[in-house]
Amino acid sequence: MARRAAFALLLASLLVVGCGDGPDRPRADPVITRAAAWLWSQQGEDGGWHSDTYGLLRSGQSLTPFVLDALLALPEHVAPRPEGGVARAVAFLETHTDVDGALGLADPDLADYPCYATASAVQVLGRLDDERHDAWRRRMGRWLLGQQLGDANGWTPSDDAYGAWGMGGVKRTPPNAGHIDLSMTRYVLEALAPMSPKRPEVRAARRAGRHFLERVRVRGEDPTTTLGFYFTPVLPEKNKAGPREGGGYEPYGTTTADGILALLALGVGLEEPKVTTAVDGLAAAHRVDRTPGPATLVESGWADATVFYYRAASAQVFARAGVKQAPAGRDWRADLVAALAAAQKRDGHFANDANRMKEDDPLISTAFALRALTAARR
């Protein structure tokens, strides 16, 4: 623990001034430096990151790739990495990956979000771009493909869950979809994006994934005032903004950002109307203090409970789509950096006061904050 504390204090003292052409880099970089230093200081002796807040996340199988992916996206001159830190984290991931390529199933009695954990690990290995990891990464990709509620597992386009991914583990066959949602599906599609579409199983997965995105997409509204995607068609109570008049469920900020990022992962172009409409709606509704959505989202407390997730996902959308103002007249980058700088704790971490989405765990909120700041400094 003494070594951790010393390392955190050393890095936290480095207020790196960003170099580049963006006015938000110098303002974002000191916040990034402190947050990254805090996260590295929390790395366990076994190389993983383990929750002290939630028992389910104590194994580190889903948290470790989630945190490491956020850290690897940062330039080293802004967020220095401790010697051996990356190697120990990768070793942790490899140790906990099973023979089929799944991460998150090391404890047979308590799965740790295996689809999410495996998808995040695939992203990590992609960032490292080390040919020594190629076979491991392919194994993980095959396992993820096998977890889709698609044709290979007996699902058809008439099924509401067709094309989605859920928590993962035992393969789901009709009619038992279990928990499936847009967020999990987005993360898996992003992990699978580099796979060759020449492979029949990859083409089939993308085709089914696009079908699912169409199912949860809201249509026929004014794009300047309407958000575009909802969370899940099979678990009514999980749609945080509630039912929508006329059928379906109300869209909100996090789901709309997830839907856009999932479409981009499938290769849908930024110029496609379904993407531009959703981006326009997200930009028009954007706010930095909570997740935008209907009044039901605010009244239920979900707007506050998901704010760090929303900041990360919306920033990634706006950066990729070249959005400069969100909403009209507001520099979303400047607003985001200012809000996060104000919310950062003295030791560098972040935490949400609301706990409904586990954002009160500082490992989760800090990793989301780093994703948001990384997008803002581009």
Side-chain angles (χ1 to χ4, degrees):
M1 293 301 294
R3 179 175 60 82
R4 286 191 194 178
F7 179 73
L9 288 172
L10 173 63
L11 291 189
S13 68
L14 301 175
L15 299 183
V16 180
V17 176
C19 57
D21 54 4
D24 292 297
R25 289 190 177 187
R27 297 194 303 163
D29 284 356
V31 184
I32 290 172
T33 301
R34 290 192 293 270
W38 183 84
L39 278 176
W40 279 118
S41 77
Q42 301 303 302
Q43 186 178 27
E45 294 297 331
D46 62 356
W49 279 267
H50 305 271
S51 177
D52 290 328
T53 310
Y54 293 100
L56 176 60
L57 302 176
R58 199 158 290 151
S59 80
Q61 294 173 89
S62 62
L63 270 181
T64 299
F66 171 68
V67 171
L68 184 59
D69 183 54
L71 290 169
L72 290 177
L74 302 169
E76 285 196 71
H77 74 273
V78 176
R81 302 167 187 170
E83 184 177 357
V86 173
R88 290 191 298 113
V90 171
F92 175 91
L93 298 179
E94 189 166 20
T95 298
H96 289 81
T97 302
D98 70 16
V99 294
D100 296 320
L103 179 65
L105 296 174
D107 183 342
D109 298 320
L110 191 64
D112 187 357
Y113 299 100
C115 274
Y116 181 82
T118 306
S120 296
V122 170
Q123 296 284 63
V124 165
L125 297 182
R127 291 191 188 280
L128 294 174
D129 195 22
D130 188 332
E131 62 181 13
R132 293 175 299 177
H133 302 144
D134 287 350
W136 176 18
R137 190 181 181 198
R138 287 194 297 270
R139 187 159 45 104
M140 286 182 151
R142 287 193 297 270
W143 184 83
L144 287 170
L145 286 170
Q147 291 292 308
Q148 187 181 33
L149 279 67
D151 303 84
N153 286 324
W155 299 87
T156 69
S158 63
D159 297 313
D160 285 343
Y162 178 75
W165 275 268
M167 297 296 183
V170 177
K171 289 185 179 181
R172 296 284 183 175
T173 56
N176 183 19
H179 179 113
I180 60 99
D181 62 58
L182 176 55
S183 176
M184 207 76 66
T185 300
R186 165 213 156 182
Y187 277 99
V188 175
L189 288 175
E190 288 182 323
L192 297 178
M195 297 181 74
S196 173
K198 294 181 180 180
R199 294 171 53 184
E201 67 272 27
V202 175
R203 286 201 305 275
R206 291 183 177 180
R207 184 170 58 249
R210 185 173 295 203
H211 184 93
F212 177 74
L213 295 181
E214 288 298 315
R215 188 176 295 278
V216 296
R217 186 165 68 92
V218 176
R219 299 170 178 80
E221 300 286 353
D222 179 356
T224 64
T225 60
T226 302
L227 295 163
F229 291 82
Y230 64 90
F231 191 58
T232 176
V234 302
L235 298 167
E237 71 282 1
K238 298 296 183 182
N239 287 289
K240 298 173 180 62
R244 189 165 175 266
E245 187 176 348
Y249 301 94
E250 289 285 359
Y252 45 100
T254 56
T255 51
T256 298
D258 279 337
I260 296 167
L261 293 170
L263 286 172
L264 296 179
L266 285 171
V268 179
L270 286 167
E271 73 285 352
E272 290 287 331
K274 66 182 66 177
V275 176
T276 57
T277 298
V279 171
D280 288 347
L282 187 67
H286 178 68
R287 54 189 303 155
V288 77
D289 60 330
R290 64 175 186 242
T291 299
T296 51
L297 193 73
V298 180
E299 294 162 359
S300 64
W302 285 115
D304 293 323
T306 57
V307 66
F308 280 93
Y309 187 109
Y310 173 72
R311 287 165 173 164
S314 61
Q316 289 171 281
V317 168
F318 296 152
R320 293 186 63 177
V323 173
K324 296 186 182 301
Q325 294 185 351
R330 300 293 308 183
D331 181 339
W332 68 266
R333 283 184 165 89
D335 287 348
L336 177 61
V337 172
L340 288 171
Q344 190 172 38
K345 309 301 183 184
R346 291 186 64 182
D347 65 357
H349 82 270
F350 294 85
N352 195 335
D353 291 334
N355 63 5
R356 299 187 70 180
M357 277 296 290
K358 297 184 173 66
E359 289 189 358
D360 58 324
D361 187 326
L363 293 175
I364 292 174
S365 287
T366 305
F368 275 138
L370 281 180
R371 283 173 166 81
L373 290 162
T374 299
R377 74 183 300 276
R378 290 177 187 169

